[in-house]
């Protein structure tokens, strides 16, 4: 379980928060990413978004191996920029069967093929929260990259948002961050 805690304290300074689609969440100045209990940081929290890392649903063996071969790890010292993008998909998406979702996600929208172009510059971790009680999103997506890859990341999100997959996104917040290291990183 991973908690993203927005408030007056955190290792990441929030540079921009943009409601791309649907209801916004309160604007805060800092974010902390915590595994397990949020403990001592709780009093400074304005909101907490929780998600779990999980098994892959869509990637084929071949895609999975390619991702593993190319991806970078989180916490790289030069990757001082990050994005937290919570996403909720529509009822229409969840009513599709798995093979229909895979066809939209990859065969037609090329999510993995596009994403692979940005590895290892962008390191990523996907968190699921649709099954967690009280959570407002289906996914919390987290990305880390160096300042020189800010423009590339911008191009990546623009490409993904123009896909058929994204027509099923009914809520999305784009939160951009810079690491300042006030608290321990992870
Ligand atoms: C850095 C390049 C990226 C790569 C390599 C990548 C790769 C992937 C892969 C492999 C999955 C599917 C995992 C599975 O099999 O279940 C996935 C899911 C997802 N990604 Fe990306 N991605 C990238 C960038 C992004 C960006 C920038 C966003 C948000 C703007 C995003 C949002 C999502 C969401 C919401 C899902 C869950 C989709 C679902 O299960 O319906 N990804 N990504």
């Amino acid at each position: 379980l991973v908690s993203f805690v927005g408030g007056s304290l955190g290792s990441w300074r929030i540079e921009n928060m943009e409601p791309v689609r649907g209801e916004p969440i309160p604007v805060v100045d800092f974010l902390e990413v915590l595994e397990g209990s949020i403990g001592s940081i709780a009093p400074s929290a304005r909101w907490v978004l929780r998600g779990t890392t999980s098994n892959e649903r869509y990637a084929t063996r071949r895609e999975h191996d390619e991702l593993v071969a190319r991806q970078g790890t989180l916490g790289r010292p030069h990757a001082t920029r990050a994005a937290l993008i919570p996403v909720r998909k529509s009822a229409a998406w969840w009513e599709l069967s798995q093979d229909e979702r895979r066809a939209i996600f990859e065969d037609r929208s090329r999510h993995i093929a596009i994403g692979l172009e940005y590895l290892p510059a962008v390191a990523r971790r996907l968190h699921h929260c649709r099954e967690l009680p009280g959570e407002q999103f289906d996914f919390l997506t987290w990305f880390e990259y160096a300042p020189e890859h800010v423009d590339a990341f911008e191009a990546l999100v623009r490409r993904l948002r123009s896909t058929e997959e994204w027509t099923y996104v009914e809520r999305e917040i784009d939160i951009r961050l810079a690491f300042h290291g006030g608290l321990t990183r992870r």
Side-chain angles (χ1 to χ4, degrees):
L1 183 77
V2 182
S3 297
F4 294 88
V5 184
S8 54
L9 212 63
S11 316
W12 296 91
R13 184 167 39 77
I14 297 188
E15 302 207 298
N16 193 43
M17 270 180 78
E18 191 121 354
V20 180
R21 192 168 296 179
E23 275 286 285
I25 57 174
V27 172
V28 293
D29 292 326
F30 293 95
L31 180 95
E32 188 59 305
V33 185
L34 295 167
E35 287 169 21
S37 147
I38 72 161
S40 61
I41 202 176
S44 68
R46 180 80 200 277
W47 43 256
V48 182
L49 301 175
R50 297 175 319 134
T52 55
T53 54
S54 183
N55 60 289
E56 290 173 341
R57 268 77 161 168
Y58 298 105
T60 61
R61 163 59 54 193
R62 209 193 143 118
E63 287 160 351
H64 170 85
D65 290 346
E66 207 169 337
L67 286 160
V68 170
R70 286 210 225 169
Q71 74 199 3
T73 55
L74 296 182
R76 296 173 297 181
H78 67 277
T80 56
R81 296 293 180 276
L84 170 63
I85 307 183
V87 168
R88 192 173 70 218
K89 285 183 169 175
S90 64
W93 173 262
W94 294 108
E95 280 160 15
L96 296 171
S97 58
Q98 187 65 19
D99 60 320
E100 291 170 316
R101 286 195 292 262
R102 160 74 201 187
I104 295 165
F105 177 84
E106 191 58 29
D107 306 344
R108 306 213 286 274
S109 299
R110 317 287 299 149
H111 187 125
I112 298 174
I114 291 170
L116 276 167
E117 293 177 32
Y118 297 84
L119 269 43
V122 178
R124 53 179 278 273
R125 192 166 67 192
L126 177 64
H127 311 81
H128 286 257
C129 35
R130 180 171 162 78
E131 312 288 332
L132 291 182
E135 291 306 313
Q136 322 174 38
F137 296 94
D138 294 333
F139 309 100
L140 304 175
T141 65
W142 174 258
F143 307 93
E144 294 178 2
Y145 43 92
E148 64 262 34
H149 294 127
V150 165
D151 292 345
F153 188 77
E154 217 54 64
L156 165 63
V157 293
R158 212 178 315 117
R159 287 172 73 185
L160 289 175
R161 285 182 185 137
S162 70
T163 61
E164 182 182 348
E165 182 196 356
W166 245 257
T167 64
Y168 293 90
V169 172
E170 63 174 22
R171 192 168 177 210
E172 179 179 4
I173 321 273
D174 192 326
I175 305 170
R176 300 302 176 89
L177 312 109
F179 186 69
H180 73 94
L183 293 171
T184 48
R185 183 137 190 212
R186 234 180 300 282

